[in-house]
Amino acid sequence: MKPTAVPKNNDFEIVFAGRSNVGKSSIVKALSGSKVKVGKRPGVTLKPTHVKKGELVITDLPGFGFMNGVKERKQDIVKDKIVRYIEEGNQRINIAAIVVDAGSFVEVVDRWDQRGELPIDIEIFDFFIEMDLEPLIVVNKMDKVKEEDKDEVLDAIIERLGLFPPWRQWIDRVAPISAKKGDLQALNSIIRKRIHSAKRDSLLKYI
């Protein structure tokens, strides 16, 4: 199954947003079992990529933040395109997820905070909330976190995003995963529950 055309209004769409190189494309590939362009350099995906299976659409939004060889103005344009895409597809989008890097997210947020600036990750997450999408927090690259540190890392991540720890009280929204290791169980479980809640059980066979 290859990436395909823009989704229709009666489709059930899942969108993944996040910084460049956090593993969004790898997640879409692992989740859908489809061939999706996965770049080794930040900023490879510059426009939404859609994987469509029946009425289920999984969308990989362009990565924001640093992009190798891409000027700052172009980065702003990409960010604007993401916001516009969400606004225009709000009635069609059923699940929105922000993907973060387990190892670097807290450091990045704190660095921006010290400069008195709001990180793009949090901007997009808050925007999803404004759009009543109840966004998921997909914490990728958990395989790089020591087992004894995992709860502390996850607590710090959700706290930066405005949720109260402990993270386990948000298991319907927080998915610790490792796309590289093929461990998407937490994400699969949340998505399947949301598909069932939306009374679209016919789509479960695609996840």
Side-chain angles (χ1 to χ4, degrees):
M1 185 72 65
K2 295 182 179 180
T4 187
V6 176
K8 300 175 182 178
N9 286 334
N10 61 331
D11 287 334
F12 186 103
E13 186 175 6
I14 305 169
V15 299
F16 290 93
R19 286 184 176 272
S20 303
N21 225 25
V22 295
K24 296 190 298 2
S25 299
S26 297
I27 291 169
V28 172
K29 180 180 179 182
L31 192 65
S32 65
S34 301
K35 294 180 180 179
V36 179
K37 186 177 182 181
V38 178
K40 294 184 178 179
R41 293 184 297 107
V44 166
T45 308
L46 295 178
K47 60 182 181 179
T49 300
H50 309 286
V51 175
K52 194 172 192 300
K53 293 187 171 185
E55 292 185 340
L56 176 69
V57 178
I58 304 175
T59 299
D60 175 16
L61 295 172
F64 48 76
F66 170 76
M67 295 180 222
N68 190 32
V70 180
K71 294 181 180 179
E72 188 174 340
R73 175 58 187 151
K74 182 69 174 289
Q75 296 180 42
D76 289 338
I77 291 172
V78 170
K79 176 185 166 186
D80 291 342
K81 283 183 177 180
I82 293 172
V83 170
R84 192 174 305 116
Y85 184 87
I86 299 300
E87 287 178 334
E88 293 175 354
N90 183 237
Q91 297 303 313
R92 177 188 66 240
I93 295 169
N94 297 88
I95 301 175
I98 188 83
V99 181
V100 303
D101 185 321
S104 64
F105 178 73
V106 171
E107 180 187 345
V108 170
V109 170
D110 289 350
R111 188 167 63 241
W112 277 63
D113 188 55
Q114 288 170 6
R115 299 199 302 256
E117 299 176 322
L118 184 66
I120 301 173
D121 319 63
I122 295 178
E123 270 191 88
I124 297 294
F125 183 74
D126 289 345
F127 180 66
F128 282 156
I129 292 174
E130 286 178 26
M131 295 289 102
D132 294 323
L133 289 170
E134 197 176 334
L136 309 185
I137 303 167
V138 181
V139 186
N140 194 23
K141 307 185 184 182
M142 286 297 294
D143 54 297
K144 295 184 178 181
V145 179
K146 293 179 180 178
E147 188 65 36
E148 62 267 25
D149 295 334
K150 287 184 177 180
D151 284 341
E152 183 179 347
V153 167
L154 290 167
D155 284 349
I157 288 171
I158 68 160
E159 194 169 19
R160 298 307 189 281
L161 287 164
L163 301 182
F164 293 106
W167 75 271
R168 290 183 185 279
Q169 68 179 318
W170 303 99
I171 56 172
D172 59 333
R173 292 182 61 182
V174 180
I177 67 164
S178 172
K180 184 178 180 180
K181 299 290 185 181
D183 179 13
L184 273 74
Q185 183 177 350
L187 179 59
N188 280 339
S189 176
I190 294 172
I191 289 175
R192 290 177 68 86
K193 286 177 182 176
R194 292 216 178 178
I195 289 175
H196 176 68
S197 295
K199 299 181 180 179
R200 300 290 294 270
D201 284 8
S202 62
L203 304 177
L204 291 172
K205 61 187 175 185
Y206 301 123
I207 298 295

